[in-house]
PDB file of all heavy atoms in Angstrom:
ATOM      1  N   GLN A 391     105.274  94.257  93.763  1.00  0.00           N
ATOM      2  CA  GLN A 391     104.683  95.586  93.813  1.00  0.00           C
ATOM      3  C   GLN A 391     105.146  96.301  95.083  1.00  0.00           C
ATOM      4  O   GLN A 391     105.524  95.671  96.066  1.00  0.00           O
ATOM      5  CB  GLN A 391     103.149  95.503  93.805  1.00  0.00           C
ATOM      6  CG  GLN A 391     102.553  94.787  92.607  1.00  0.00           C
ATOM      7  CD  GLN A 391     102.236  93.338  92.916  1.00  0.00           C
ATOM      8  OE1 GLN A 391     102.851  92.737  93.797  1.00  0.00           O
ATOM      9  NE2 GLN A 391     101.274  92.774  92.194  1.00  0.00           N
ATOM     10  N   SER A 392     105.101  97.606  95.034  1.00  0.00           N
ATOM     11  CA  SER A 392     105.469  98.372  96.224  1.00  0.00           C
ATOM     12  C   SER A 392     104.468  98.119  97.343  1.00  0.00           C
ATOM     13  O   SER A 392     103.307  97.748  97.093  1.00  0.00           O
ATOM     14  CB  SER A 392     105.492  99.868  95.896  1.00  0.00           C
ATOM     15  OG  SER A 392     104.175 100.347  95.653  1.00  0.00           O
ATOM     16  N   ASP A 393     104.884  98.315  98.562  1.00  0.00           N
ATOM     17  CA  ASP A 393     103.979  98.150  99.692  1.00  0.00           C
ATOM     18  C   ASP A 393     102.813  99.125  99.611  1.00  0.00           C
ATOM     19  O   ASP A 393     101.687  98.798 100.008  1.00  0.00           O
ATOM     20  CB  ASP A 393     104.734  98.351 101.003  1.00  0.00           C
ATOM     21  CG  ASP A 393     105.701  97.212 101.301  1.00  0.00           C
ATOM     22  OD1 ASP A 393     105.550  96.126 100.704  1.00  0.00           O
ATOM     23  OD2 ASP A 393     106.604  97.418 102.128  1.00  0.00           O
ATOM     24  N   ASP A 394     103.087 100.309  99.085  1.00  0.00           N
ATOM     25  CA  ASP A 394     102.039 101.324  98.959  1.00  0.00           C
ATOM     26  C   ASP A 394     100.960 100.862  97.981  1.00  0.00           C
ATOM     27  O   ASP A 394      99.759 100.970  98.262  1.00  0.00           O
ATOM     28  CB  ASP A 394     102.645 102.650  98.504  1.00  0.00           C
ATOM     29  CG  ASP A 394     101.615 103.762  98.470  1.00  0.00           C
ATOM     30  OD1 ASP A 394     100.923 103.976  99.479  1.00  0.00           O
ATOM     31  OD2 ASP A 394     101.489 104.423  97.407  1.00  0.00           O
ATOM     32  N   PHE A 395     101.388 100.308  96.831  1.00  0.00           N
ATOM     33  CA  PHE A 395     100.406  99.804  95.862  1.00  0.00           C
ATOM     34  C   PHE A 395      99.635  98.630  96.458  1.00  0.00           C
ATOM     35  O   PHE A 395      98.406  98.539  96.318  1.00  0.00           O
ATOM     36  CB  PHE A 395     101.080  99.363  94.570  1.00  0.00           C
ATOM     37  CG  PHE A 395     100.128  98.719  93.597  1.00  0.00           C
ATOM     38  CD1 PHE A 395      99.342  99.503  92.768  1.00  0.00           C
ATOM     39  CD2 PHE A 395      99.988  97.334  93.541  1.00  0.00           C
ATOM     40  CE1 PHE A 395      98.432  98.908  91.887  1.00  0.00           C
ATOM     41  CE2 PHE A 395      99.089  96.738  92.675  1.00  0.00           C
ATOM     42  CZ  PHE A 395      98.318  97.533  91.846  1.00  0.00           C
ATOM     43  N   ALA A 396     100.351  97.717  97.108  1.00  0.00           N
ATOM     44  CA  ALA A 396      99.690  96.553  97.691  1.00  0.00           C
ATOM     45  C   ALA A 396      98.636  96.974  98.718  1.00  0.00           C
ATOM     46  O   ALA A 396      97.562  96.369  98.804  1.00  0.00           O
ATOM     47  CB  ALA A 396     100.719  95.631  98.332  1.00  0.00           C
ATOM     48  N   LYS A 397      98.933  98.020  99.489  1.00  0.00           N
ATOM     49  CA  LYS A 397      97.980  98.504 100.483  1.00  0.00           C
ATOM     50  C   LYS A 397      96.721  99.038  99.813  1.00  0.00           C
ATOM     51  O   LYS A 397      95.597  98.752 100.257  1.00  0.00           O
ATOM     52  CB  LYS A 397      98.628  99.587 101.336  1.00  0.00           C
ATOM     53  CG  LYS A 397      97.734 100.130 102.439  1.00  0.00           C
ATOM     54  CD  LYS A 397      98.459 101.176 103.281  1.00  0.00           C
ATOM     55  CE  LYS A 397      97.564 101.724 104.377  1.00  0.00           C
ATOM     56  NZ  LYS A 397      98.278 102.747 105.208  1.00  0.00           N
ATOM     57  N   ARG A 398      96.897  99.814  98.738  1.00  0.00           N
ATOM     58  CA  ARG A 398      95.738 100.363  98.023  1.00  0.00           C
ATOM     59  C   ARG A 398      94.916  99.254  97.375  1.00  0.00           C
ATOM     60  O   ARG A 398      93.684  99.268  97.402  1.00  0.00           O
ATOM     61  CB  ARG A 398      96.199 101.375  96.968  1.00  0.00           C
ATOM     62  CG  ARG A 398      96.835 102.630  97.540  1.00  0.00           C
ATOM     63  CD  ARG A 398      96.932 103.732  96.488  1.00  0.00           C
ATOM     64  NE  ARG A 398      97.708 103.325  95.334  1.00  0.00           N
ATOM     65  CZ  ARG A 398      99.033 103.482  95.206  1.00  0.00           C
ATOM     66  NH1 ARG A 398      99.733 104.022  96.214  1.00  0.00           N
ATOM     67  NH2 ARG A 398      99.653 103.101  94.115  1.00  0.00           N
ATOM     68  N   ASN A 399      95.601  98.282  96.773  1.00  0.00           N
ATOM     69  CA  ASN A 399      94.908  97.177  96.130  1.00  0.00           C
ATOM     70  C   ASN A 399      94.169  96.324  97.164  1.00  0.00           C
ATOM     71  O   ASN A 399      93.029  95.903  96.945  1.00  0.00           O
ATOM     72  CB  ASN A 399      95.908  96.327  95.343  1.00  0.00           C
ATOM     73  CG  ASN A 399      95.245  95.280  94.477  1.00  0.00           C
ATOM     74  OD1 ASN A 399      94.659  94.336  94.982  1.00  0.00           O
ATOM     75  ND2 ASN A 399      95.359  95.434  93.168  1.00  0.00           N
ATOM     76  N   SER A 400      94.813  96.086  98.296  1.00  0.00           N
ATOM     77  CA  SER A 400      94.233  95.245  99.341  1.00  0.00           C
ATOM     78  C   SER A 400      92.954  95.842  99.917  1.00  0.00           C
ATOM     79  O   SER A 400      92.059  95.110 100.360  1.00  0.00           O
ATOM     80  CB  SER A 400      95.248  95.037 100.465  1.00  0.00           C
ATOM     81  OG  SER A 400      96.397  94.357  99.996  1.00  0.00           O
ATOM     82  N   ALA A 401      92.870  97.153  99.917  1.00  0.00           N
ATOM     83  CA  ALA A 401      91.694  97.823 100.475  1.00  0.00           C
ATOM     84  C   ALA A 401      90.443  97.595  99.625  1.00  0.00           C
ATOM     85  O   ALA A 401      89.329  97.899 100.079  1.00  0.00           O
ATOM     86  CB  ALA A 401      91.958  99.319 100.602  1.00  0.00           C
ATOM     87  N   LEU A 402      90.615  97.033  98.436  1.00  0.00           N
ATOM     88  CA  LEU A 402      89.483  96.821  97.541  1.00  0.00           C
ATOM     89  C   LEU A 402      88.751  95.506  97.793  1.00  0.00           C
ATOM     90  O   LEU A 402      87.716  95.257  97.181  1.00  0.00           O
ATOM     91  CB  LEU A 402      89.954  96.858  96.082  1.00  0.00           C
ATOM     92  CG  LEU A 402      90.628  98.148  95.602  1.00  0.00           C
ATOM     93  CD1 LEU A 402      91.069  97.999  94.144  1.00  0.00           C
ATOM     94  CD2 LEU A 402      89.686  99.340  95.759  1.00  0.00           C
ATOM     95  N   ASN A 403      89.303  94.642  98.649  1.00  0.00           N
ATOM     96  CA  ASN A 403      88.627  93.364  98.880  1.00  0.00           C
ATOM     97  C   ASN A 403      88.346  93.124 100.359  1.00  0.00           C
ATOM     98  O   ASN A 403      88.865  93.819 101.234  1.00  0.00           O
ATOM     99  CB  ASN A 403      89.421  92.204  98.261  1.00  0.00           C
ATOM    100  CG  ASN A 403      90.721  91.912  98.988  1.00  0.00           C
ATOM    101  OD1 ASN A 403      90.735  91.559 100.159  1.00  0.00           O
ATOM    102  ND2 ASN A 403      91.842  92.052  98.279  1.00  0.00           N
ATOM    103  N   MET A 404      87.532  92.135 100.632  1.00  0.00           N
ATOM    104  CA  MET A 404      87.038  91.881 101.987  1.00  0.00           C
ATOM    105  C   MET A 404      88.104  91.350 102.937  1.00  0.00           C
ATOM    106  O   MET A 404      88.005  91.553 104.157  1.00  0.00           O
ATOM    107  CB  MET A 404      85.873  90.893 101.924  1.00  0.00           C
ATOM    108  CG  MET A 404      84.668  91.403 101.157  1.00  0.00           C
ATOM    109  SD  MET A 404      83.406  90.113 101.011  1.00  0.00           S
ATOM    110  CE  MET A 404      82.194  90.945  99.983  1.00  0.00           C
ATOM    111  N   LEU A 405      89.112  90.656 102.401  1.00  0.00           N
ATOM    112  CA  LEU A 405      90.154  90.096 103.253  1.00  0.00           C
ATOM    113  C   LEU A 405      91.272  91.086 103.542  1.00  0.00           C
ATOM    114  O   LEU A 405      92.131  90.838 104.392  1.00  0.00           O
ATOM    115  CB  LEU A 405      90.731  88.823 102.610  1.00  0.00           C
ATOM    116  CG  LEU A 405      89.761  87.649 102.487  1.00  0.00           C
ATOM    117  CD1 LEU A 405      90.469  86.453 101.854  1.00  0.00           C
ATOM    118  CD2 LEU A 405      89.190  87.257 103.847  1.00  0.00           C
ATOM    119  N   GLY A 406      91.273  92.197 102.826  1.00  0.00           N
ATOM    120  CA  GLY A 406      92.243  93.246 103.099  1.00  0.00           C
ATOM    121  C   GLY A 406      93.673  92.903 102.740  1.00  0.00           C
ATOM    122  O   GLY A 406      94.620  93.429 103.342  1.00  0.00           O
ATOM    123  N   ARG A 407      93.854  92.037 101.760  1.00  0.00           N
ATOM    124  CA  ARG A 407      95.205  91.704 101.310  1.00  0.00           C
ATOM    125  C   ARG A 407      95.157  91.184  99.884  1.00  0.00           C
ATOM    126  O   ARG A 407      94.098  90.786  99.382  1.00  0.00           O
ATOM    127  CB  ARG A 407      95.839  90.626 102.198  1.00  0.00           C
ATOM    128  CG  ARG A 407      95.149  89.269 102.151  1.00  0.00           C
ATOM    129  CD  ARG A 407      95.892  88.236 102.979  1.00  0.00           C
ATOM    130  NE  ARG A 407      95.240  86.922 102.978  1.00  0.00           N
ATOM    131  CZ  ARG A 407      95.424  85.983 102.052  1.00  0.00           C
ATOM    132  NH1 ARG A 407      96.227  86.212 101.004  1.00  0.00           N
ATOM    133  NH2 ARG A 407      94.802  84.816 102.146  1.00  0.00           N
ATOM    134  N   MET A 408      96.319  91.171  99.216  1.00  0.00           N
ATOM    135  CA  MET A 408      96.426  90.543  97.909  1.00  0.00           C
ATOM    136  C   MET A 408      96.700  89.056  98.103  1.00  0.00           C
ATOM    137  O   MET A 408      97.074  88.611  99.187  1.00  0.00           O
ATOM    138  CB  MET A 408      97.558  91.195  97.100  1.00  0.00           C
ATOM    139  CG  MET A 408      97.330  92.671  96.814  1.00  0.00           C
ATOM    140  SD  MET A 408      98.673  93.440  95.846  1.00  0.00           S
ATOM    141  CE  MET A 408      98.391  92.680  94.234  1.00  0.00           C
ATOM    142  N   ALA A 409      96.495  88.280  97.046  1.00  0.00           N
ATOM    143  CA  ALA A 409      96.771  86.850  97.117  1.00  0.00           C
ATOM    144  C   ALA A 409      98.269  86.616  97.247  1.00  0.00           C
ATOM    145  O   ALA A 409      99.087  87.402  96.741  1.00  0.00           O
ATOM    146  CB  ALA A 409      96.248  86.150  95.871  1.00  0.00           C
ATOM    147  N   ASN A 410      98.628  85.555  97.918  1.00  0.00           N
ATOM    148  CA  ASN A 410     100.022  85.136  98.020  1.00  0.00           C
ATOM    149  C   ASN A 410     100.324  84.098  96.954  1.00  0.00           C
ATOM    150  O   ASN A 410      99.430  83.338  96.550  1.00  0.00           O
ATOM    151  CB  ASN A 410     100.304  84.548  99.405  1.00  0.00           C
ATOM    152  CG  ASN A 410     100.161  85.576 100.513  1.00  0.00           C
ATOM    153  OD1 ASN A 410     100.697  86.674 100.412  1.00  0.00           O
ATOM    154  ND2 ASN A 410      99.434  85.221 101.567  1.00  0.00           N
ATOM    155  N   PRO A 411     101.564  84.026  96.483  1.00  0.00           N
ATOM    156  CA  PRO A 411     101.922  82.996  95.511  1.00  0.00           C
ATOM    157  C   PRO A 411     101.526  81.600  96.004  1.00  0.00           C
ATOM    158  O   PRO A 411     101.710  81.257  97.167  1.00  0.00           O
ATOM    159  CB  PRO A 411     103.445  83.139  95.395  1.00  0.00           C
ATOM    160  CG  PRO A 411     103.682  84.597  95.666  1.00  0.00           C
ATOM    161  CD  PRO A 411     102.690  84.947  96.746  1.00  0.00           C
ATOM    162  N   GLY A 412     100.919  80.845  95.111  1.00  0.00           N
ATOM    163  CA  GLY A 412     100.489  79.490  95.441  1.00  0.00           C
ATOM    164  C   GLY A 412      99.041  79.370  95.856  1.00  0.00           C
ATOM    165  O   GLY A 412      98.509  78.246  95.926  1.00  0.00           O
ATOM    166  N   GLU A 413      98.355  80.482  96.102  1.00  0.00           N
ATOM    167  CA  GLU A 413      96.980  80.393  96.599  1.00  0.00           C
ATOM    168  C   GLU A 413      95.959  80.004  95.537  1.00  0.00           C
ATOM    169  O   GLU A 413      94.803  79.730  95.868  1.00  0.00           O
ATOM    170  CB  GLU A 413      96.569  81.706  97.265  1.00  0.00           C
ATOM    171  CG  GLU A 413      97.202  81.905  98.628  1.00  0.00           C
ATOM    172  CD  GLU A 413      96.498  82.951  99.477  1.00  0.00           C
ATOM    173  OE1 GLU A 413      96.698  84.154  99.203  1.00  0.00           O
ATOM    174  OE2 GLU A 413      95.757  82.575 100.415  1.00  0.00           O
ATOM    175  N   TYR A 414      96.361  79.969  94.278  1.00  0.00           N
ATOM    176  CA  TYR A 414      95.437  79.531  93.222  1.00  0.00           C
ATOM    177  C   TYR A 414      95.699  78.093  92.792  1.00  0.00           C
ATOM    178  O   TYR A 414      94.949  77.536  91.984  1.00  0.00           O
ATOM    179  CB  TYR A 414      95.521  80.466  92.013  1.00  0.00           C
ATOM    180  CG  TYR A 414      95.171  81.898  92.336  1.00  0.00           C
ATOM    181  CD1 TYR A 414      95.965  82.955  91.896  1.00  0.00           C
ATOM    182  CD2 TYR A 414      94.050  82.197  93.100  1.00  0.00           C
ATOM    183  CE1 TYR A 414      95.640  84.262  92.202  1.00  0.00           C
ATOM    184  CE2 TYR A 414      93.722  83.507  93.412  1.00  0.00           C
ATOM    185  CZ  TYR A 414      94.520  84.539  92.959  1.00  0.00           C
ATOM    186  OH  TYR A 414      94.198  85.831  93.265  1.00  0.00           O
ATOM    187  N   ASP A 415      96.753  77.489  93.308  1.00  0.00           N
ATOM    188  CA  ASP A 415      97.164  76.165  92.850  1.00  0.00           C
ATOM    189  C   ASP A 415      96.078  75.115  93.056  1.00  0.00           C
ATOM    190  O   ASP A 415      95.750  74.343  92.141  1.00  0.00           O
ATOM    191  CB  ASP A 415      98.436  75.722  93.579  1.00  0.00           C
ATOM    192  CG  ASP A 415      99.644  76.582  93.259  1.00  0.00           C
ATOM    193  OD1 ASP A 415      99.536  77.462  92.381  1.00  0.00           O
ATOM    194  OD2 ASP A 415     100.696  76.370  93.888  1.00  0.00           O
ATOM    195  N   ALA A 416      95.529  75.053  94.251  1.00  0.00           N
ATOM    196  CA  ALA A 416      94.551  74.008  94.573  1.00  0.00           C
ATOM    197  C   ALA A 416      93.274  74.181  93.753  1.00  0.00           C
ATOM    198  O   ALA A 416      92.642  73.186  93.358  1.00  0.00           O
ATOM    199  CB  ALA A 416      94.229  74.029  96.067  1.00  0.00           C
ATOM    200  N   ALA A 417      92.893  75.414  93.499  1.00  0.00           N
ATOM    201  CA  ALA A 417      91.678  75.666  92.715  1.00  0.00           C
ATOM    202  C   ALA A 417      91.822  75.140  91.302  1.00  0.00           C
ATOM    203  O   ALA A 417      90.902  74.517  90.747  1.00  0.00           O
ATOM    204  CB  ALA A 417      91.366  77.160  92.702  1.00  0.00           C
TER     205      ALA A 417
END
Side-chain angles (χ1 to χ4, degrees):
Q391 302 97 334
S392 69
D393 290 342
D394 185 52
F395 175 82
K397 182 178 180 180
R398 294 195 301 270
N399 189 292
S400 298
L402 301 178
N403 70 62
M404 297 175 184
L405 295 181
R407 65 176 179 86
M408 298 180 71
N410 295 312
E413 286 198 283
Y414 300 133
D415 295 354

